Amino acid sequence: MDDNHTKSERDRRGIQSVEVGGQLLRALAHAGRALPLKDLAREAGMAPAKAHPYLVSFGKIGLVEQHEASGHYGLGPLALQLGLIALQQADPVRIATPLIAELAQRIGHTVAVAVWGSRGPTIVRIEESPAAVHVNMRHGTVESLPGTASGRLFAAYLPPETVRAALEEERAREKALGLRAQPGMPPPKPLPRWEDFEPTLAEVRAHGLSRSEGAVIQGVSAMSAPVFDHAGQMVMAVTAIGPSGVFDTRWDGELARALRECARAVSQRLGAR
């Protein structure tokens, strides 16, 4: 066995008892409430007699506390402090960056991340498609609320008053600029009224995804999945973009599943339940 392999094995070696005890903490986090010993042990996959010493030790350092009235075990003050610090340090874009790189390789399409900016959904990160043919996008692009997959996604999950105000601003910009066709783009359509826009948003919420098929650029489709934070607020859209001829826009297709998995993974790292 060479030295590098020995070092690799040593770096991976942990303390088994810590890993076993961690199952109890994970079970409490998943439950979201205090549990009696027998239920907590069952959720962690161990016998109550084995779980109890771990809970005593965790209680001494504040990771777990036992409620006096019920005897149930819940997460303690140290667990709360660690969680709050982790949330303060969480940067959605930084967390998403390596995951969208993997996603682009997996699905073979360009993947973009958009956040809500002062003028609406704004692209802040792009991972180019590994395919020979891909769709060029630019950082800082502000996307239309009703006309893009990312825009519809934010419109579906942000507070209605925020969305309506943004839609009116976009309508005002449209009026000032006029409806002019751009090269390679379909003839622009007037922005929908709020009451006409709401059924589209209901469809987005029903599927947990948004899609656009050739609406912005002819022959280009997109699908977008939401990322939520610990408070349940949407903070980011993960959007795949590609040529319509090879782009799977089915709500239950492989692309949809991959997008959901990626967005869910980012959400979980931001503390979403």
Side-chain angles (χ1 to χ4, degrees):
M1 183 179 296
D2 58 41
D3 291 342
N4 289 336
H5 183 74
T6 302
K7 183 177 185 300
S8 177
E9 288 295 324
R10 186 168 59 250
D11 291 342
R12 287 197 299 266
R13 189 180 304 131
I15 300 174
Q16 188 176 12
S17 60
V18 174
E19 296 172 10
V20 172
Q23 297 297 323
L24 292 164
L25 299 176
R26 183 177 290 111
L28 279 175
H30 286 173
R33 66 184 191 283
L35 295 173
L37 174 59
K38 65 175 184 177
D39 292 347
L40 177 54
R42 183 183 66 249
E43 292 298 319
M46 64 180 73
K50 181 178 180 180
H52 186 259
Y54 287 102
L55 294 173
V56 172
S57 294
F58 287 151
K60 290 180 178 179
I61 61 175
L63 279 174
V64 168
E65 63 180 3
Q66 187 176 20
H67 298 178
E68 291 186 7
S70 65
H72 294 184
Y73 291 90
L75 292 174
L78 178 58
L80 176 60
Q81 293 170 15
L82 292 174
L84 291 174
I85 292 171
L87 291 173
Q88 292 169 4
Q89 295 177 345
D91 177 351
V93 177
R94 177 184 59 80
I95 292 172
T97 296
L99 296 179
I100 67 167
E102 296 173 5
L103 179 62
Q105 292 294 323
R106 176 180 173 186
I107 64 177
H109 295 299
T110 296
V111 178
V113 163
V115 300
W116 186 259
S118 59
R119 296 179 61 191
T122 306
I123 295 176
V124 295
R125 194 77 182 179
I126 300 169
E127 189 66 34
E128 297 288 358
S129 164
V133 178
H134 60 266
V135 179
N136 289 322
M137 303 186 70
R138 293 181 179 178
H139 291 88
T141 299
V142 178
E143 301 196 280
S144 167
L145 270 179
T148 64
S150 298
R152 294 170 189 167
L153 198 69
F154 277 105
Y157 288 106
L158 291 184
E161 59 272 18
T162 300
V163 178
R164 294 187 73 160
L167 185 61
E168 289 307 312
E169 289 180 10
E170 188 173 343
R171 193 189 303 277
R173 291 196 299 270
E174 179 189 79
K175 184 176 180 180
L177 296 174
L179 290 173
R180 292 176 293 181
Q182 300 295 325
M185 297 179 65
K189 298 179 181 179
L191 294 175
R193 297 175 301 172
W194 176 252
E195 54 267 31
D196 297 326
F197 193 26
E198 285 184 313
T200 298
L201 305 185
E203 181 185 46
V204 170
R205 287 188 288 266
H207 293 285
L209 293 170
S210 177
R211 65 184 179 187
S212 172
E213 300 175 270
V216 180
I217 302 176
Q218 289 180 339
V220 174
S221 295
M223 183 170 276
S224 188
V227 171
F228 300 96
D229 65 9
H230 67 285
Q233 303 297 316
M234 181 180 165
V235 294
M236 178 189 298
V238 177
T239 306
I241 310 102
S244 298
V246 294
F247 197 90
D248 182 4
T249 57
R250 294 174 299 162
W251 295 121
D252 59 350
E254 290 293 332
L255 178 57
R257 283 193 286 273
L259 272 171
R260 285 191 179 99
E261 289 172 6
C262 180
R264 188 180 300 116
V266 180
S267 297
Q268 288 175 343
R269 297 185 188 190
L270 292 175
R273 293 189 62 80

